[in-house]
Amino acid sequence: MKRRDFVETTVRSAVGVAAASVIPASAFGNSLLKFTQTPLGFPYAALEPHIDAMTMDIHFNRHHTAYIKNVNDAIEAEKIAVTDELEFFASVGKYSAKARNNGGGAWNHNFFWKLMKPSGPGPQGKLAEALSGAFGSTEKFKELFTAAAMGRFGSGWAWLVKDEGKLKIGSTVNQDNPLMPGLDIKGTPLLALDVWEHAYYLKYQNKRADYINAWWNVVNWDEVAKNI
Ligand code: MN3
């Protein structure tokens, strides 16, 4: 029995109502899913000169904070009854655009922040082997991932995923992610790059290629390796 079903059953028994009747959401207290914002693991200026402090501050405190608030508002308004984020994305087609877009924005940025750190070594060990096995070399992987990020017209994300044991590269529009069904790319995300203009415009203006080239300097490969 899923946690929520258990809660509903328990509440129904407790208040003595038939299973078929509608239970007000208030009866469940805080049982609706709530997205939370993962703190940044570094100061805003830590990724300078590649990602500037003002971009990090605005990106984290305005854009990401808004996605978190808005998805939680949508979950409340739509009474979205899921037990975790994976379940939320698996059934995202049933929700409003507000829930989908802000849910993606909430999750994607939590994932993205962890994937960056002040400079460190490139991919090591098993991850380096996996990238070479799938794409020829780490350099070739970076070329292909960069191409996916450059090829995403307008706002979106580039992804490295593991899908049925295979590493794949792709991109999504808006705040969609590979956990959402029915997209060109699916699987467990290993690495993500935000290519919305808000991620780079202050420093790089329209030069997305320069932003991507700089971003490779701050990829947290240890974190990518954990996802594999
Ligand atoms: Mn963003």
Side-chain angles (χ1 to χ4, degrees):
M1 185 186 276
K2 287 180 182 161
R3 185 176 150 269
R4 183 169 172 90
D5 294 337
F6 172 77
V7 172
E8 289 194 18
T9 306
T10 309
V11 170
R12 283 185 181 119
S13 325
V15 298
V17 289
S21 65
V22 176
I23 308 291
S26 57
F28 303 126
N30 292 323
S31 67
L32 294 175
L33 176 69
K34 219 174 167 74
F35 281 84
T36 56
Q37 190 172 26
T38 305
L40 272 189
F42 45 80
Y44 302 125
L47 307 180
E48 297 260 14
H50 308 295
I51 310 287
D52 62 289
M54 185 181 279
T55 295
M56 282 305 304
D57 184 350
I58 293 173
H59 202 174
F60 184 82
N61 288 308
R62 300 195 204 168
H63 293 279
H64 192 204
T65 302
Y67 296 130
I68 300 273
K69 179 187 182 301
N70 291 335
V71 70
N72 288 331
D73 288 351
I75 287 170
E76 283 281 331
E78 297 168 40
K79 311 284 183 273
I80 295 173
V82 291
T83 51
D84 61 31
E85 293 171 0
L86 290 182
E87 199 187 329
F88 175 91
F89 290 118
S91 52
V92 78
K94 295 191 284 190
Y95 316 145
S96 67
K98 178 178 178 179
R100 181 193 188 101
N101 292 333
N102 289 284
W107 192 93
N108 295 352
H109 289 85
N110 276 339
F111 187 63
F112 184 51
W113 308 137
K114 287 187 295 183
L115 295 167
M116 295 187 288
K117 70 171 190 180
S119 65
Q124 307 287 310
K126 268 191 183 171
L127 176 61
E129 283 168 28
L131 291 173
S132 295
F135 307 110
S137 67
T138 296
E139 282 316 303
K140 188 67 190 168
F141 158 69
K142 285 161 85 170
E143 267 175 45
L144 294 168
F145 188 94
T146 297
M150 287 301 295
R152 168 50 55 193
F153 183 79
S155 298
W157 292 76
W159 301 92
L160 170 68
V161 301
K162 193 169 187 177
D163 179 22
E164 293 172 8
K166 283 194 156 175
L167 298 191
K168 295 178 182 172
I169 293 167
S171 71
T172 54
V173 70
N174 299 328
Q175 295 293 353
D176 282 1
N177 68 42
L179 302 172
M180 298 178 179
L183 305 182
D184 294 340
I185 181 98
K186 67 180 172 70
T188 304
L190 307 182
L191 177 66
L193 174 59
D194 187 344
V195 293
W196 282 58
E197 284 184 344
H198 68 226
Y200 61 88
Y201 207 85
L202 291 178
K203 184 174 172 75
Y204 297 100
Q205 299 83 48
N206 60 320
K207 295 170 286 186
R208 184 185 289 187
D210 290 0
Y211 158 67
I212 297 168
N213 284 335
W215 175 76
W216 286 118
N217 292 295
V218 295
V219 172
N220 184 348
W221 292 104
D222 293 339
E223 194 64 32
V224 181
K226 279 189 211 162
N227 297 328
I228 205 166

